[in-house]
Amino acid sequence: MTATLDHPLVTAARRLADDVLSPAAEAHDREGVTPAAIDSVKASGVLGVSAPAAYGGAEAPAAVGREIAEILAGACCSTFFVQAQHHTPVRMLAEGEEAIRRRWLRPLSEGTLLAGIAFSHLRAYPELPVRATRVAGGWRFDGRVPWYTGWGLNDVFLLGGATEDGEVVFAGVAAREQPGLTATDPLQLAALTGARTVGLLLDGLVLPDEAVVVRLPYERWATEDRPKNTNTNPAVFGVARAALDLLDASGDGEAKETAGVLRERLAAARRDAYALIDEVPPAERLDDRLAVKVRAYDLMRAATTAAIAAGGGRAFGLSHPAQRLAREGLFLVVQGQTREVRTAHLEALRS
């Protein structure tokens, strides 16, 4: 499977991956993504790939964004995952009120600011891990965000909460401790600890009305959210491709033959996954989307396992990329996992 897109931001992403991210990937995995790496991401322009041109973004086709995601994930999945948080706030701000767009959308589109997002807890509704309550002139947020990526690296983030009567509220927040907002110690994870993931403790965080980006009924939000995670994450193809590149570089004939077979299968899964995204309305053929997603996961697991097998005992050293890619692949299995995705994956494994 080879990249075929010719776009300045794809070229910039390859340069970023080759010059900055790949050489630092093992250090980022063990010690954390550095502010210097994030500065390089900002300078590359990739943060504006899907942002409106009117606000300094590239407004590139979705295929360009996917290709960039594959390149960055294959180079250093921790850094990829930090910057991946940025693109949802950009899309939401582009559809938000003019006042909030003027405040944040241009610096986010131009890459001078990096955004994060805290919203997956909304999927627990009618439970309210983060409760939003109307107060004079704004909104109060209470509860706990169990998973927030990029703490200490993000400049701003969008915080999602739900009200007792079924409304979802997203508001912009400076990504730092402040009255009503504290962070836990970094979570120690089997993979992507370097992405600086924490929990956020909310105890009376009050945000003004002008910080609100989106308000809508929960059911409308959930209807739009549910189909998204049935699609295959481009990072799966990026990590798999990086593992196959290791096999090709090993100089071993059997390893290279294995890489060739898996690369053809991966390319087919990629074509099928992206055709569903590009050619089919988002809420349709969800079973097909889940099926190709599971297929892509299986191929990623095969690719990373093959890289371990070809590397032998050396592949288990923390300085060897094969073990990192294998752990990153396991992380991608559960990242953004919904009940539907988990069910499809377990059913496929049983069969």
Side-chain angles (χ1 to χ4, degrees), residues 52-115:
Y55 288 85
E59 207 167 328
V64 172
R66 293 194 298 258
E67 185 69 31
I68 290 171
E70 290 185 24
I71 292 167
L72 300 186
C76 175
C77 204
S78 291
T79 307
F80 156 77
F81 196 52
V82 171
Q83 69 81 42
Q85 313 304 306
H86 178 89
H87 302 288
T88 299
V90 167
R91 285 192 291 271
M92 294 176 69
L93 281 162
E95 299 171 0
E97 296 295 327
E98 175 62 25
I100 196 77
R101 291 205 306 270
R102 283 199 306 267
R103 180 178 178 186
W104 276 336
L105 187 54
R106 181 167 292 278
L108 294 178
S109 300
E110 294 178 343
T112 56
L113 294 181
L114 176 68

Side-chain angles (χ1 to χ4, degrees), residues 124-190:
Y125 189 86
E127 297 178 25
L128 297 175
V130 174
R131 185 187 310 268
T133 307
R134 192 77 171 102
V135 296
W139 291 84
R140 171 177 171 143
F141 293 82
D142 293 278
R144 179 186 171 107
V145 173
W147 182 277
Y148 177 84
T149 293
W151 187 254
L153 299 171
N154 306 128
D155 301 295
V156 298
F157 73 99
L158 290 194
L159 171 64
T163 67
E164 291 276 7
D165 58 356
E167 187 175 25
V168 167
V169 182
F170 280 90
V173 194
R176 55 174 171 77
E177 292 200 346
Q178 55 192 284
L181 169 61
T182 57
T184 68
D185 291 335
L187 304 182
Q188 296 302 303
L189 307 172

